[in-house]
Amino acid sequence: PVPPGAAAAWPLHRTWRWYTHQRVDGHSYKTNTRLLGTFADICAFWNLFNHVPPPSKFRTCVVTIGNSRVNAYSVFADGIQPEWEDEHNKNGGELCFRGAFGDDVDRIWKLCLVDLVRGGLADAVCGVRLVEKEAFSKLEVWYTADLTPADREEILRWFRQLARRQRYSIGELAH
């Protein structure tokens, strides 16, 4: 147990918002995106993380949070919506890592979030999104127009270490 007031001793460098995404035909992306929670310290992060079904469950069973069937998660800095039209995103882009990660997707997602919220990725990174499909997983790292070539290379090195021996492809998309 964490003593009362202890969370304030471990603030994160930014406040983050965790979203769920569902796919409902006839509804917009924005309508299918729901805020799951907000966290600004490490204790609140782990509390939320430990109570959310892992992404590997998307393939093996129906994951519902509230009354929404979930097929993706996003974690974005507070004040930035997980959509291309957001002012922070629309002139930036995303690096997309796609592979059949299997159950290793849970480890990759966990380490990705830990690096993101501790400030281990470039400041130009707005957030991350994980989409779990039947045949593959897709991890997207969204960034602003301020991402430098050195930042981009660092993200690519980071993902190579994260994915270890997994096979994956890399794509990049401008928003």
PDB file of all heavy atoms in Angstrom, residues 146-172:
ATOM      1  N   ASP A 146       7.777  19.144 -34.560  1.00  0.00           N
ATOM      2  CA  ASP A 146       9.073  19.451 -33.954  1.00  0.00           C
ATOM      3  C   ASP A 146      10.011  18.246 -33.852  1.00  0.00           C
ATOM      4  O   ASP A 146      11.139  18.389 -33.382  1.00  0.00           O
ATOM      5  CB  ASP A 146       8.872  20.021 -32.543  1.00  0.00           C
ATOM      6  CG  ASP A 146       8.104  21.329 -32.565  1.00  0.00           C
ATOM      7  OD1 ASP A 146       8.186  22.063 -33.572  1.00  0.00           O
ATOM      8  OD2 ASP A 146       7.399  21.613 -31.572  1.00  0.00           O
ATOM      9  N   LEU A 147       9.569  17.064 -34.272  1.00  0.00           N
ATOM     10  CA  LEU A 147      10.426  15.881 -34.195  1.00  0.00           C
ATOM     11  C   LEU A 147      11.648  16.071 -35.093  1.00  0.00           C
ATOM     12  O   LEU A 147      11.511  16.357 -36.285  1.00  0.00           O
ATOM     13  CB  LEU A 147       9.667  14.626 -34.630  1.00  0.00           C
ATOM     14  CG  LEU A 147      10.410  13.312 -34.371  1.00  0.00           C
ATOM     15  CD1 LEU A 147      10.276  12.922 -32.905  1.00  0.00           C
ATOM     16  CD2 LEU A 147       9.858  12.191 -35.246  1.00  0.00           C
ATOM     17  N   THR A 148      12.822  15.928 -34.527  1.00  0.00           N
ATOM     18  CA  THR A 148      14.055  16.085 -35.301  1.00  0.00           C
ATOM     19  C   THR A 148      14.462  14.736 -35.901  1.00  0.00           C
ATOM     20  O   THR A 148      14.014  13.678 -35.435  1.00  0.00           O
ATOM     21  CB  THR A 148      15.204  16.584 -34.402  1.00  0.00           C
ATOM     22  OG1 THR A 148      15.523  15.551 -33.459  1.00  0.00           O
ATOM     23  CG2 THR A 148      14.835  17.877 -33.677  1.00  0.00           C
ATOM     24  N   PRO A 149      15.327  14.748 -36.914  1.00  0.00           N
ATOM     25  CA  PRO A 149      15.830  13.481 -37.452  1.00  0.00           C
ATOM     26  C   PRO A 149      16.526  12.633 -36.371  1.00  0.00           C
ATOM     27  O   PRO A 149      16.400  11.416 -36.360  1.00  0.00           O
ATOM     28  CB  PRO A 149      16.815  13.916 -38.544  1.00  0.00           C
ATOM     29  CG  PRO A 149      16.296  15.248 -38.998  1.00  0.00           C
ATOM     30  CD  PRO A 149      15.766  15.891 -37.732  1.00  0.00           C
ATOM     31  N   ALA A 150      17.224  13.282 -35.449  1.00  0.00           N
ATOM     32  CA  ALA A 150      17.876  12.545 -34.363  1.00  0.00           C
ATOM     33  C   ALA A 150      16.840  11.895 -33.440  1.00  0.00           C
ATOM     34  O   ALA A 150      17.018  10.751 -33.007  1.00  0.00           O
ATOM     35  CB  ALA A 150      18.789  13.468 -33.558  1.00  0.00           C
ATOM     36  N   ASP A 151      15.736  12.628 -33.152  1.00  0.00           N
ATOM     37  CA  ASP A 151      14.644  12.054 -32.346  1.00  0.00           C
ATOM     38  C   ASP A 151      14.059  10.831 -33.042  1.00  0.00           C
ATOM     39  O   ASP A 151      13.787   9.815 -32.416  1.00  0.00           O
ATOM     40  CB  ASP A 151      13.511  13.064 -32.134  1.00  0.00           C
ATOM     41  CG  ASP A 151      13.884  14.227 -31.234  1.00  0.00           C
ATOM     42  OD1 ASP A 151      14.847  14.104 -30.450  1.00  0.00           O
ATOM     43  OD2 ASP A 151      13.201  15.270 -31.330  1.00  0.00           O
ATOM     44  N   ARG A 152      13.844  10.953 -34.344  1.00  0.00           N
ATOM     45  CA  ARG A 152      13.270   9.856 -35.130  1.00  0.00           C
ATOM     46  C   ARG A 152      14.164   8.621 -35.049  1.00  0.00           C
ATOM     47  O   ARG A 152      13.694   7.506 -34.827  1.00  0.00           O
ATOM     48  CB  ARG A 152      13.088  10.292 -36.580  1.00  0.00           C
ATOM     49  CG  ARG A 152      12.408   9.263 -37.445  1.00  0.00           C
ATOM     50  CD  ARG A 152      12.332   9.751 -38.909  1.00  0.00           C
ATOM     51  NE  ARG A 152      11.711   8.759 -39.737  1.00  0.00           N
ATOM     52  CZ  ARG A 152      12.314   7.667 -40.187  1.00  0.00           C
ATOM     53  NH1 ARG A 152      13.582   7.417 -39.863  1.00  0.00           N
ATOM     54  NH2 ARG A 152      11.670   6.804 -40.940  1.00  0.00           N
ATOM     55  N   GLU A 153      15.452   8.809 -35.223  1.00  0.00           N
ATOM     56  CA  GLU A 153      16.398   7.680 -35.147  1.00  0.00           C
ATOM     57  C   GLU A 153      16.403   7.062 -33.754  1.00  0.00           C
ATOM     58  O   GLU A 153      16.501   5.843 -33.601  1.00  0.00           O
ATOM     59  CB  GLU A 153      17.808   8.124 -35.553  1.00  0.00           C
ATOM     60  CG  GLU A 153      17.954   8.361 -37.036  1.00  0.00           C
ATOM     61  CD  GLU A 153      17.512   7.177 -37.884  1.00  0.00           C
ATOM     62  OE1 GLU A 153      17.932   6.041 -37.617  1.00  0.00           O
ATOM     63  OE2 GLU A 153      16.717   7.395 -38.830  1.00  0.00           O
ATOM     64  N   GLU A 154      16.292   7.898 -32.734  1.00  0.00           N
ATOM     65  CA  GLU A 154      16.251   7.395 -31.358  1.00  0.00           C
ATOM     66  C   GLU A 154      14.995   6.545 -31.134  1.00  0.00           C
ATOM     67  O   GLU A 154      15.044   5.504 -30.472  1.00  0.00           O
ATOM     68  CB  GLU A 154      16.318   8.542 -30.359  1.00  0.00           C
ATOM     69  CG  GLU A 154      16.390   8.100 -28.916  1.00  0.00           C
ATOM     70  CD  GLU A 154      17.571   7.191 -28.599  1.00  0.00           C
ATOM     71  OE1 GLU A 154      18.649   7.363 -29.204  1.00  0.00           O
ATOM     72  OE2 GLU A 154      17.415   6.287 -27.751  1.00  0.00           O
ATOM     73  N   ILE A 155      13.862   6.964 -31.670  1.00  0.00           N
ATOM     74  CA  ILE A 155      12.625   6.175 -31.545  1.00  0.00           C
ATOM     75  C   ILE A 155      12.783   4.839 -32.257  1.00  0.00           C
ATOM     76  O   ILE A 155      12.359   3.792 -31.739  1.00  0.00           O
ATOM     77  CB  ILE A 155      11.415   6.961 -32.091  1.00  0.00           C
ATOM     78  CG1 ILE A 155      11.119   8.154 -31.171  1.00  0.00           C
ATOM     79  CG2 ILE A 155      10.181   6.059 -32.205  1.00  0.00           C
ATOM     80  CD1 ILE A 155      10.119   9.141 -31.752  1.00  0.00           C
ATOM     81  N   LEU A 156      13.399   4.838 -33.429  1.00  0.00           N
ATOM     82  CA  LEU A 156      13.622   3.581 -34.156  1.00  0.00           C
ATOM     83  C   LEU A 156      14.537   2.648 -33.369  1.00  0.00           C
ATOM     84  O   LEU A 156      14.268   1.442 -33.266  1.00  0.00           O
ATOM     85  CB  LEU A 156      14.199   3.856 -35.542  1.00  0.00           C
ATOM     86  CG  LEU A 156      13.254   4.575 -36.512  1.00  0.00           C
ATOM     87  CD1 LEU A 156      13.996   4.966 -37.782  1.00  0.00           C
ATOM     88  CD2 LEU A 156      12.050   3.711 -36.824  1.00  0.00           C
ATOM     89  N   ARG A 157      15.602   3.167 -32.778  1.00  0.00           N
ATOM     90  CA  ARG A 157      16.502   2.354 -31.931  1.00  0.00           C
ATOM     91  C   ARG A 157      15.747   1.815 -30.724  1.00  0.00           C
ATOM     92  O   ARG A 157      15.883   0.654 -30.347  1.00  0.00           O
ATOM     93  CB  ARG A 157      17.697   3.190 -31.459  1.00  0.00           C
ATOM     94  CG  ARG A 157      18.881   3.138 -32.368  1.00  0.00           C
ATOM     95  CD  ARG A 157      20.145   3.711 -31.711  1.00  0.00           C
ATOM     96  NE  ARG A 157      20.017   5.107 -31.306  1.00  0.00           N
ATOM     97  CZ  ARG A 157      20.174   6.139 -32.134  1.00  0.00           C
ATOM     98  NH1 ARG A 157      20.457   5.951 -33.389  1.00  0.00           N
ATOM     99  NH2 ARG A 157      20.047   7.364 -31.685  1.00  0.00           N
ATOM    100  N   TRP A 158      14.958   2.684 -30.096  1.00  0.00           N
ATOM    101  CA  TRP A 158      14.158   2.294 -28.931  1.00  0.00           C
ATOM    102  C   TRP A 158      13.250   1.121 -29.279  1.00  0.00           C
ATOM    103  O   TRP A 158      13.175   0.153 -28.545  1.00  0.00           O
ATOM    104  CB  TRP A 158      13.353   3.506 -28.467  1.00  0.00           C
ATOM    105  CG  TRP A 158      12.210   3.210 -27.576  1.00  0.00           C
ATOM    106  CD1 TRP A 158      12.268   2.957 -26.229  1.00  0.00           C
ATOM    107  CD2 TRP A 158      10.826   3.126 -27.936  1.00  0.00           C
ATOM    108  NE1 TRP A 158      10.999   2.731 -25.739  1.00  0.00           N
ATOM    109  CE2 TRP A 158      10.103   2.822 -26.766  1.00  0.00           C
ATOM    110  CE3 TRP A 158      10.138   3.274 -29.125  1.00  0.00           C
ATOM    111  CZ2 TRP A 158       8.719   2.668 -26.771  1.00  0.00           C
ATOM    112  CZ3 TRP A 158       8.772   3.128 -29.130  1.00  0.00           C
ATOM    113  CH2 TRP A 158       8.071   2.827 -27.957  1.00  0.00           C
ATOM    114  N   PHE A 159      12.554   1.214 -30.429  1.00  0.00           N
ATOM    115  CA  PHE A 159      11.628   0.133 -30.771  1.00  0.00           C
ATOM    116  C   PHE A 159      12.368  -1.157 -31.093  1.00  0.00           C
ATOM    117  O   PHE A 159      11.904  -2.240 -30.736  1.00  0.00           O
ATOM    118  CB  PHE A 159      10.693   0.514 -31.919  1.00  0.00           C
ATOM    119  CG  PHE A 159       9.616  -0.532 -32.078  1.00  0.00           C
ATOM    120  CD1 PHE A 159       8.528  -0.545 -31.209  1.00  0.00           C
ATOM    121  CD2 PHE A 159       9.716  -1.541 -33.022  1.00  0.00           C
ATOM    122  CE1 PHE A 159       7.563  -1.527 -31.297  1.00  0.00           C
ATOM    123  CE2 PHE A 159       8.760  -2.525 -33.122  1.00  0.00           C
ATOM    124  CZ  PHE A 159       7.677  -2.519 -32.257  1.00  0.00           C
ATOM    125  N   ARG A 160      13.512  -1.076 -31.741  1.00  0.00           N
ATOM    126  CA  ARG A 160      14.292  -2.298 -32.023  1.00  0.00           C
ATOM    127  C   ARG A 160      14.624  -3.026 -30.721  1.00  0.00           C
ATOM    128  O   ARG A 160      14.540  -4.242 -30.636  1.00  0.00           O
ATOM    129  CB  ARG A 160      15.569  -1.954 -32.779  1.00  0.00           C
ATOM    130  CG  ARG A 160      15.345  -1.701 -34.234  1.00  0.00           C
ATOM    131  CD  ARG A 160      16.679  -1.515 -34.978  1.00  0.00           C
ATOM    132  NE  ARG A 160      16.423  -0.684 -36.127  1.00  0.00           N
ATOM    133  CZ  ARG A 160      16.777   0.596 -36.236  1.00  0.00           C
ATOM    134  NH1 ARG A 160      17.443   1.195 -35.267  1.00  0.00           N
ATOM    135  NH2 ARG A 160      16.490   1.276 -37.310  1.00  0.00           N
ATOM    136  N   GLN A 161      14.998  -2.282 -29.693  1.00  0.00           N
ATOM    137  CA  GLN A 161      15.290  -2.894 -28.396  1.00  0.00           C
ATOM    138  C   GLN A 161      14.032  -3.448 -27.756  1.00  0.00           C
ATOM    139  O   GLN A 161      14.049  -4.521 -27.167  1.00  0.00           O
ATOM    140  CB  GLN A 161      15.940  -1.885 -27.456  1.00  0.00           C
ATOM    141  CG  GLN A 161      17.328  -1.507 -27.863  1.00  0.00           C
ATOM    142  CD  GLN A 161      17.906  -0.440 -26.950  1.00  0.00           C
ATOM    143  OE1 GLN A 161      17.189   0.228 -26.200  1.00  0.00           O
ATOM    144  NE2 GLN A 161      19.218  -0.259 -27.025  1.00  0.00           N
ATOM    145  N   LEU A 162      12.930  -2.727 -27.876  1.00  0.00           N
ATOM    146  CA  LEU A 162      11.661  -3.138 -27.294  1.00  0.00           C
ATOM    147  C   LEU A 162      11.143  -4.425 -27.939  1.00  0.00           C
ATOM    148  O   LEU A 162      10.669  -5.331 -27.250  1.00  0.00           O
ATOM    149  CB  LEU A 162      10.646  -2.011 -27.508  1.00  0.00           C
ATOM    150  CG  LEU A 162       9.410  -1.954 -26.658  1.00  0.00           C
ATOM    151  CD1 LEU A 162       9.772  -1.782 -25.202  1.00  0.00           C
ATOM    152  CD2 LEU A 162       8.531  -0.806 -27.114  1.00  0.00           C
ATOM    153  N   ALA A 163      11.254  -4.518 -29.250  1.00  0.00           N
ATOM    154  CA  ALA A 163      10.709  -5.658 -29.988  1.00  0.00           C
ATOM    155  C   ALA A 163      11.633  -6.877 -29.960  1.00  0.00           C
ATOM    156  O   ALA A 163      11.211  -7.961 -30.339  1.00  0.00           O
ATOM    157  CB  ALA A 163      10.420  -5.250 -31.422  1.00  0.00           C
ATOM    158  N   ARG A 164      12.872  -6.691 -29.547  1.00  0.00           N
ATOM    159  CA  ARG A 164      13.841  -7.787 -29.480  1.00  0.00           C
ATOM    160  C   ARG A 164      13.878  -8.564 -30.786  1.00  0.00           C
ATOM    161  O   ARG A 164      14.168  -8.020 -31.823  1.00  0.00           O
ATOM    162  CB  ARG A 164      13.535  -8.714 -28.305  1.00  0.00           C
ATOM    163  CG  ARG A 164      13.732  -8.069 -26.968  1.00  0.00           C
ATOM    164  CD  ARG A 164      13.734  -9.136 -25.900  1.00  0.00           C
ATOM    165  NE  ARG A 164      13.079  -8.660 -24.717  1.00  0.00           N
ATOM    166  CZ  ARG A 164      12.553  -9.452 -23.814  1.00  0.00           C
ATOM    167  NH1 ARG A 164      12.556 -10.749 -23.973  1.00  0.00           N
ATOM    168  NH2 ARG A 164      12.011  -8.968 -22.735  1.00  0.00           N
ATOM    169  N   ARG A 165      13.533  -9.854 -30.720  1.00  0.00           N
ATOM    170  CA  ARG A 165      13.643 -10.719 -31.891  1.00  0.00           C
ATOM    171  C   ARG A 165      12.346 -10.809 -32.687  1.00  0.00           C
ATOM    172  O   ARG A 165      12.216 -11.635 -33.571  1.00  0.00           O
ATOM    173  CB  ARG A 165      14.073 -12.114 -31.449  1.00  0.00           C
ATOM    174  CG  ARG A 165      15.491 -12.139 -30.879  1.00  0.00           C
ATOM    175  CD  ARG A 165      15.885 -13.506 -30.391  1.00  0.00           C
ATOM    176  NE  ARG A 165      15.176 -13.918 -29.197  1.00  0.00           N
ATOM    177  CZ  ARG A 165      15.509 -13.594 -27.961  1.00  0.00           C
ATOM    178  NH1 ARG A 165      16.558 -12.857 -27.751  1.00  0.00           N
ATOM    179  NH2 ARG A 165      14.808 -14.006 -26.944  1.00  0.00           N
ATOM    180  N   GLN A 166      11.390  -9.969 -32.381  1.00  0.00           N
ATOM    181  CA  GLN A 166      10.123  -9.990 -33.109  1.00  0.00           C
ATOM    182  C   GLN A 166      10.332  -9.491 -34.542  1.00  0.00           C
ATOM    183  O   GLN A 166      11.174  -8.636 -34.789  1.00  0.00           O
ATOM    184  CB  GLN A 166       9.082  -9.092 -32.425  1.00  0.00           C
ATOM    185  CG  GLN A 166       8.698  -9.540 -31.057  1.00  0.00           C
ATOM    186  CD  GLN A 166       7.811 -10.781 -31.091  1.00  0.00           C
ATOM    187  OE1 GLN A 166       7.199 -11.101 -32.093  1.00  0.00           O
ATOM    188  NE2 GLN A 166       7.760 -11.482 -29.988  1.00  0.00           N
ATOM    189  N   ARG A 167       9.542 -10.034 -35.454  1.00  0.00           N
ATOM    190  CA  ARG A 167       9.558  -9.544 -36.840  1.00  0.00           C
ATOM    191  C   ARG A 167       8.503  -8.446 -36.951  1.00  0.00           C
ATOM    192  O   ARG A 167       7.399  -8.610 -36.460  1.00  0.00           O
ATOM    193  CB  ARG A 167       9.259 -10.683 -37.798  1.00  0.00           C
ATOM    194  CG  ARG A 167      10.276 -11.801 -37.659  1.00  0.00           C
ATOM    195  CD  ARG A 167      10.013 -12.843 -38.668  1.00  0.00           C
ATOM    196  NE  ARG A 167      10.844 -12.471 -39.807  1.00  0.00           N
ATOM    197  CZ  ARG A 167      10.912 -13.137 -40.926  1.00  0.00           C
ATOM    198  NH1 ARG A 167      10.154 -14.194 -41.113  1.00  0.00           N
ATOM    199  NH2 ARG A 167      11.696 -12.765 -41.892  1.00  0.00           N
ATOM    200  N   TYR A 168       8.871  -7.358 -37.582  1.00  0.00           N
ATOM    201  CA  TYR A 168       7.937  -6.246 -37.711  1.00  0.00           C
ATOM    202  C   TYR A 168       8.315  -5.402 -38.924  1.00  0.00           C
ATOM    203  O   TYR A 168       9.425  -5.505 -39.438  1.00  0.00           O
ATOM    204  CB  TYR A 168       7.924  -5.382 -36.450  1.00  0.00           C
ATOM    205  CG  TYR A 168       9.270  -4.800 -36.096  1.00  0.00           C
ATOM    206  CD1 TYR A 168       9.656  -3.565 -36.601  1.00  0.00           C
ATOM    207  CD2 TYR A 168      10.159  -5.489 -35.281  1.00  0.00           C
ATOM    208  CE1 TYR A 168      10.894  -3.029 -36.293  1.00  0.00           C
ATOM    209  CE2 TYR A 168      11.403  -4.952 -34.977  1.00  0.00           C
ATOM    210  CZ  TYR A 168      11.755  -3.725 -35.474  1.00  0.00           C
ATOM    211  OH  TYR A 168      12.983  -3.205 -35.179  1.00  0.00           O
ATOM    212  N   SER A 169       7.388  -4.598 -39.349  1.00  0.00           N
ATOM    213  CA  SER A 169       7.671  -3.626 -40.411  1.00  0.00           C
ATOM    214  C   SER A 169       7.456  -2.242 -39.820  1.00  0.00           C
ATOM    215  O   SER A 169       6.754  -2.069 -38.843  1.00  0.00           O
ATOM    216  CB  SER A 169       6.754  -3.855 -41.616  1.00  0.00           C
ATOM    217  OG  SER A 169       5.410  -3.683 -41.247  1.00  0.00           O
ATOM    218  N   ILE A 170       8.092  -1.265 -40.452  1.00  0.00           N
ATOM    219  CA  ILE A 170       7.989   0.127 -39.986  1.00  0.00           C
ATOM    220  C   ILE A 170       7.394   0.960 -41.115  1.00  0.00           C
ATOM    221  O   ILE A 170       7.836   0.865 -42.263  1.00  0.00           O
ATOM    222  CB  ILE A 170       9.372   0.691 -39.605  1.00  0.00           C
ATOM    223  CG1 ILE A 170       9.997  -0.140 -38.487  1.00  0.00           C
ATOM    224  CG2 ILE A 170       9.261   2.160 -39.197  1.00  0.00           C
ATOM    225  CD1 ILE A 170      11.439   0.229 -38.195  1.00  0.00           C
ATOM    226  N   GLY A 171       6.425   1.746 -40.762  1.00  0.00           N
ATOM    227  CA  GLY A 171       5.859   2.688 -41.715  1.00  0.00           C
ATOM    228  C   GLY A 171       5.854   4.074 -41.083  1.00  0.00           C
ATOM    229  O   GLY A 171       5.972   4.205 -39.868  1.00  0.00           O
ATOM    230  N   GLU A 172       5.733   5.078 -41.917  1.00  0.00           N
ATOM    231  CA  GLU A 172       5.634   6.435 -41.396  1.00  0.00           C
ATOM    232  C   GLU A 172       4.536   7.143 -42.160  1.00  0.00           C
ATOM    233  O   GLU A 172       4.409   6.982 -43.372  1.00  0.00           O
ATOM    234  CB  GLU A 172       6.953   7.174 -41.524  1.00  0.00           C
ATOM    235  CG  GLU A 172       6.968   8.472 -40.789  1.00  0.00           C
ATOM    236  CD  GLU A 172       8.380   8.979 -40.522  1.00  0.00           C
ATOM    237  OE1 GLU A 172       9.330   8.491 -41.127  1.00  0.00           O
ATOM    238  OE2 GLU A 172       8.493   9.893 -39.683  1.00  0.00           O
TER     239      GLU A 172
END
